[in-house]
Amino acid sequence: MSVTHRLTAPAPGWTTDTDVVVVGSGVAGLTVALNVRRAGLRAMVVTKAMLDDGSTRWAQGGIAAALGEGDTPEQHLTDTLVAGAGLCDGDSVRTLVTEGPDAVRRLIAVGAAFDRGEDGDVLLTREGGHHRNRIAHAGGDATGAEISRALVEAVRRDPDVELIEHALVLDLLTDADGHAAGLTLHVMGEGQRDGVGAVRARAVVLATGGMGQVFSATTNPAVSTGDGVALALRAGAEVTDLEFVQFHPTVLWLGPEAEGQQPLVSEAVRGEGAHLVDADGVRFMLGQHELAELAPRDIVAKAITRRMREHGTDHMYLDGRHFGAEMWQRRFPTILASCRAHGIDPVTEPIPVAPAAHYASGGVRTDTRGRTSVPGLSACGEVACTGVHGANRLASNSLLEGLVFAERIAADLTARLAAGDLPERVVDVEAARAARPVPLPAPEARAEIQRLMSRGTGVLRSAASMAATAAGLARLAEQTRAAVAEEKPADPRVETWEAANLLLVADALVTAAAQREETRGCHWREDFPERDDAHWQRHLITTLTASGGPVSTLEEP
Ligand SMILES: Cc1cc2nc3c(=O)[nH]c(=O)nc-3n(C[C@H](O)[C@H](O)[C@H](O)COP(=O)(O)OP(=O)(O)OC[C@H]3O[C@@H](n4cnc5c(N)ncnc54)[C@H](O)[C@@H]3O)c2cc1C
């Protein structure tokens, strides 16, 4: 398999090399780099902005692991499978829940300081879909910031982890056997490594995070543009489960015109007893699910969306006034500050909330060693689809997934090195040249893609709404081709490369979502409201056709 398409970009003007190049510096990427280094391999981390600019830093609630008395990996497995609605991969989930507790202990050993009780034990709370208290948290509601701090400090302490910040990775390079042999990137800096260059490597690890920016309202930061999924598709890799996007039910509602990243009001607030109410103060989750406000996220997001429709409004409320000022300050300082910064005081008034795109359950398809369908290309963290989330992610399983599967990739690469199965690679220059250049949309396409996706392929979906999204995306693609034909192409630069990635990922997502004619997990079809195991308890695998468009095929039973 070779790279068949590539982003339009200048030829690399410089080259460097390493053993393992890791793309992304969240929990997944940094964990791979640290572990690969311990095994004696040279590691390079390439990241789009600053080291801590991904989703990891924003995680609030915590990290799930069976660490508490009476809890077991088996119970964690059961809750994960229930949330995944029949599409989890059993082996992957078992790996996650059994290796999770020790992976968290190793994270603590790296320096992450979790909140502890007076007895010194790590405090554990509960979130939606969990039947046990098993969410470890840090700084109250600043878990991701603490994990990110600890990992960033650890890689900065290691002079043998090479860090390249402000570098947008463009495409994969392969050798003559189709094995990953490095990547192309654009460094936004000055000095020897400015502009487009190439990194040669024995193995490539994608840890580029999510794709929330494909929607107008998201909890994800600006860097979450689905670059890893787009790169993998262009490289001929299989991606899967793209239709399963988790919409977080309770994101601070900032008004009808708000776009981009919006502040999350963590599930842990509901875990501690806050109620969802409508404008009349009615607790509408009661009677909808045995766990009421703590039902799995898709149930809560749908219930909020339905209630909003019934009431002709675009938000509901989360009422935590009964916590009192002291508890808000101690337990949820970040959320309290963020609400107050937007003029809302949760101590004295209910918080206006609405659902927003939060988590991509799907991604680049991997096995339990993190290997993708392209030899030498591994993926972990949110960009990957290991199969642990199925049709819906259980809250706080994603940081854990990033951690556990990053460790497994490092172990896999180390074992391959020991077995002599990780030789130096020679980039196949002819293949790289032969890859077809993907035209770049104008930067303004980003906002249009987001609007199209939120309008037609958001929480509520139907054949008609998704056809409208697909038609809008096709129009954008046509305008892009026309600009090239008229010799007025958009300049290759970060904004246009990201727009091209968003357009491809949006197209792939709509293709899969339109094909799945059932309601399952976080994929909710108004025209197919039932779960249909007979036809659909299978994955859709998406690849690129020779013309560069995505095609989804149903996995063989
Ligand atoms: C607001 C919020 C709250 C959350 N709360 C929780 C929680 O409580 N518990 C939980 O388990 N999960 C939570 N999640 C989800 C979790 O944070 C993410 O799934 C996880 O952090 C993803 O880690 P990652 O390492 O895969 O990616 P990220 O942390 O997103 O890192 C991705 C990295 O890739 C880089 N990158 C992307 N594209 C490129 C490119 N083309 N070139 C170079 N670099 C690139 C980015 O700059 C970034 O460094 C939350 C997410 C959000 C947004």
Side-chain angles (χ1 to χ4, degrees):
M1 183 75 68
S2 267
V3 178
T4 54
H5 294 80
R6 61 174 175 81
L7 289 170
T8 298
W14 52 270
T15 303
T16 185
D17 66 281
T18 186
D19 290 334
V20 178
V21 60
V22 180
V23 190
S25 53
V27 61
L30 295 183
T31 303
V32 173
L34 286 170
N35 283 279
V36 153
R37 271 298 306 137
R38 269 182 220 127
L41 284 159
R42 289 180 301 156
M44 178 186 288
V45 176
V46 181
T47 194
K48 206 194 285 197
M50 308 278 280
L51 278 185
D52 66 350
D53 270 335
S55 286
T56 298
R57 167 158 73 93
W58 294 94
Q60 294 180 344
I63 184 163
L67 293 162
E69 218 177 297
D71 196 7
T72 59
E74 205 60 33
Q75 295 175 62
H76 189 182
L77 178 128
T78 304
D79 287 344
T80 303
L81 293 180
V82 169
L87 277 188
C88 293
D89 178 286
D91 288 345
S92 296
V93 179
R94 193 162 290 284
T95 301
L96 178 84
V97 298
T98 51
E99 297 185 9
D102 279 343
V104 173
R105 289 184 192 105
R106 285 189 285 272
L107 181 62
I108 292 170
V110 169
F114 285 93
D115 295 335
R116 292 176 185 270
E118 282 170 6
D119 56 4
D121 288 347
V122 170
L123 288 172
L124 299 169
T125 188
R126 196 176 296 204
E127 291 187 327
H130 290 273
H131 285 81
R132 286 275 181 184
N133 286 3
R134 63 167 74 97
I135 318 296
H137 45 87
D141 58 0
T143 311
E146 173 56 15
I147 291 175
S148 182
R149 182 205 60 75
L151 291 172
V152 167
E153 281 183 14
V155 290
R156 286 209 192 279
R157 273 197 303 270
D158 187 339
D160 292 323
V161 179
E162 196 175 345
L163 303 171
I164 309 187
E165 292 176 280
H166 304 290
L168 180 98
V169 168
L170 302 166
D171 278 303
L172 190 72
L173 294 168
T174 52
D175 67 8
D177 299 328
H179 190 287
L183 42 80
T184 53
L185 73 173
H186 177 263
V187 179
M188 297 153 260
E190 286 169 8
Q192 289 178 327
R193 284 189 194 152
D194 192 12
V196 174
V199 175
R200 284 191 310 247
R202 296 167 192 253
V204 177
V205 181
L206 288 180
T208 50
M211 54 173 80
Q213 290 288 332
V214 86
F215 294 95
S216 306
T218 179
T219 60
N220 293 191
V223 291
S224 304
T225 46
D227 297 2
V229 167
L231 174 153
L233 280 169
R234 288 191 297 269
E238 293 179 348
V239 307
T240 188
D241 291 353
L242 284 188
E243 65 274 35
F244 299 113
V245 177
Q246 189 174 75
F247 287 81
H248 197 287
T250 53
V251 170
L252 184 59
W253 181 78
L254 297 177
E257 302 303 326
E259 281 189 353
Q261 188 181 20
Q262 291 167 35
L264 176 68
V265 183
S266 158
E267 199 142 342
V269 176
R270 278 174 283 137
E272 296 286 357
H275 302 147
L276 272 168
V277 295
D278 61 22
D280 304 324
V282 176
R283 270 185 78 185
F284 55 90
M285 284 309 300
L286 291 178
Q288 302 236 12
H289 191 276
E290 47 153 354
L291 293 168
E293 278 90 350
L294 290 177
R297 285 187 179 164
D298 60 303
I299 309 268
V300 181
K302 286 173 203 173
I304 292 177
T305 309
R306 274 200 194 112
R307 197 71 163 191
M308 291 190 322
R309 283 190 161 187
E310 282 162 20
H311 285 222
T313 174
D314 43 15
H315 61 285
M316 289 284 127
Y317 296 92
L318 189 61
D319 194 350
R321 286 176 291 181
H322 50 287
F323 292 173
E326 188 276 328
M327 177 166 161
W328 268 109
Q329 193 59 58
R330 173 176 47 81
R331 185 67 185 84
F332 301 114
T334 312
I335 298 169
L336 181 66
S338 132
C339 287
R340 284 183 171 162
H342 290 95
I344 293 139
D345 187 355
V347 178
T348 58
E349 59 189 320
I351 307 167
V353 290
H358 184 52
Y359 185 78
S361 293
V364 187
R365 194 177 208 209
T366 72
D367 63 15
T368 52
R369 294 169 299 186
R371 296 184 185 185
T372 72
S373 57
V374 173
L377 179 66
S378 307
C380 57
E382 195 166 336
V383 68
C385 185
T386 61
V388 302
H389 306 301
N392 204 2
R393 174 191 67 138
L394 183 67
S396 286
N397 265 357
S398 39
L399 288 170
L400 189 71
E401 185 200 26
L403 200 56
V404 166
F405 287 88
E407 289 189 347
R408 291 180 77 80
I409 287 175
D412 184 45
L413 294 178
T414 308
R416 288 179 59 191
L417 182 76
D421 183 27
L422 216 54
E424 285 191 12
R425 305 277 163 190
V426 179
V427 171
D428 184 350
V429 179
E430 284 314 310
R433 274 204 204 108
R436 293 171 63 181
V438 174
L440 306 177
E444 302 77 50
R446 181 179 183 131
E448 181 59 13
I449 295 165
Q450 293 172 334
R451 273 192 292 273
L452 288 163
M453 291 297 286
S454 285
R455 221 176 285 147
T457 313
V459 182
L460 303 171
R461 299 167 175 179
S462 68
S465 73
M466 288 185 282
T469 305
L473 296 176
R475 237 182 353 263
L476 280 173
E478 186 44 45
Q479 284 164 9
T480 306
R481 281 192 295 272
V484 174
E486 290 163 20
E487 298 187 0
K488 292 180 199 152
D491 291 342
R493 57 188 163 106
V494 172
E495 292 77 10
T496 53
W497 286 318
E498 284 187 340
N501 287 335
L502 285 168
L503 188 55
L504 175 54
V505 167
D507 200 1
L509 199 161
V510 180
T511 302
Q515 206 161 324
R516 182 171 287 281
E517 294 184 331
E518 64 156 356
T519 287
R520 180 188 297 271
C522 52
H523 171 67
W524 191 28
R525 291 282 302 246
E526 291 178 285
D527 45 355
F528 294 95
E530 303 300 329
R531 173 168 156 174
D532 176 1
D533 281 350
H535 296 100
W536 291 105
Q537 195 162 3
R538 289 192 271 158
H539 300 277
L540 281 165
I541 317 284
T542 304
T543 50
L544 277 202
T545 63
S547 65
V551 59
S552 293
T553 44
L554 200 54
E555 184 188 45
E556 292 300 318

